[in-house]
Amino acid sequence: MNVKISSTDLPAAMASIDNAWRKIDKIHPMDAKFYDDQIQLAYSQFVVMVKVIGFIAFLAICIASLGLFGMVVFTTETRLKEISIRKVMGASESGLIYLLSKGFLSMLMVATLVALPATYFFFDKVVLVNFAYHQPIGLSELLAGVIIVMSLAFLLIGSQTLKAARKNPANVLKSE
């Protein structure tokens, strides 16, 4: 039996319901449970799973960012002489930043083109299938993830390429 309680005095309401129950069924005791507690109990495993998956995703993004940072640092250090010669020949900082960044940015665009459909189908066909009432994953959720990852990548790539483009070419060519 489901009963909706609109009273603010919960213990008195429960006592009243218990008295009414005893009049109806004297043999079986009333086993009262609140609907919101039952829902919370049903989804407690899901909440824990979402927290664990969120932490693993955060860890994966951190490791990928460190890898990207290492690749950018390695590339700029190995091309430092080329950058210095281009700078002596009159190249602008923005042109040098574009030259160093275009390879990484094209790789990020290809990764985005692969990841967006894969993410959509994973959530649509694997994760959300288990829920009777679910909201389909939309373009805004996917774009929010892309914007966050791209801005982090732009920050990593831009900081190192700007640092390499601003180095004094005389000091770099002198040590080579």
Side-chain angles (χ1 to χ4, degrees):
M1 176 188 311
N2 294 325
V3 178
K4 183 175 182 179
I5 300 173
S6 61
S7 173
T8 57
D9 188 17
L10 205 55
M14 291 300 291
S16 174
I17 293 171
D18 189 46
N19 288 335
W21 179 261
R22 277 193 232 143
K23 289 178 186 174
I24 296 171
D25 188 0
K26 296 179 189 310
I27 298 171
H28 300 98
M30 183 180 80
D31 184 24
K33 296 176 184 168
F34 290 102
Y35 187 64
D36 54 347
D37 292 340
Q38 294 297 315
I39 289 176
Q40 186 177 5
L41 180 66
Y43 284 102
S44 64
Q45 296 274 335
F46 179 71
V47 170
V48 170
M49 183 182 69
V50 166
K51 286 181 182 179
V52 168
I53 290 173
F55 176 73
I56 291 171
F58 175 74
L59 196 61
I61 289 173
C62 287
I63 291 171
S65 297
L66 285 173
L68 178 64
F69 183 73
M71 285 177 28
V72 171
V73 168
F74 177 75
T75 302
T76 55
E77 289 297 320
T78 55
R79 296 179 73 182
L80 209 51
K81 188 174 182 180
E82 173 192 352
I83 295 167
S84 298
I85 291 172
R86 287 181 183 270
K87 198 166 183 181
V88 168
M89 298 301 273
S92 65
E93 281 185 11
S94 60
L96 292 172
I97 290 171
Y98 174 73
L99 175 72
L100 291 172
S101 301
K102 71 178 177 181
F104 293 112
L105 296 179
S106 63
M107 283 192 292
L108 281 172
M109 290 299 157
V110 169
T112 301
L113 291 175
V114 170
L116 283 179
T119 303
Y120 177 78
F121 286 117
F122 174 73
F123 276 97
D124 193 44
K125 303 293 185 205
V126 176
V127 176
L128 296 177
V129 167
N130 298 326
F131 297 102
Y133 303 106
H134 66 272
Q135 196 68 11
I137 189 165
L139 189 61
S140 61
E141 290 90 3
L142 294 173
L143 288 179
V146 167
I147 288 170
I148 291 170
V149 170
M150 286 293 191
S151 60
L152 182 63
F154 287 143
L155 180 70
L156 289 172
I157 294 168
S159 67
Q160 292 303 307
T161 54
L162 184 64
K163 180 180 162 186
R166 287 191 172 168
K167 280 194 175 181
N168 189 356
N171 292 338
V172 172
L173 293 174
K174 179 173 64 173
S175 66
E176 287 293 325

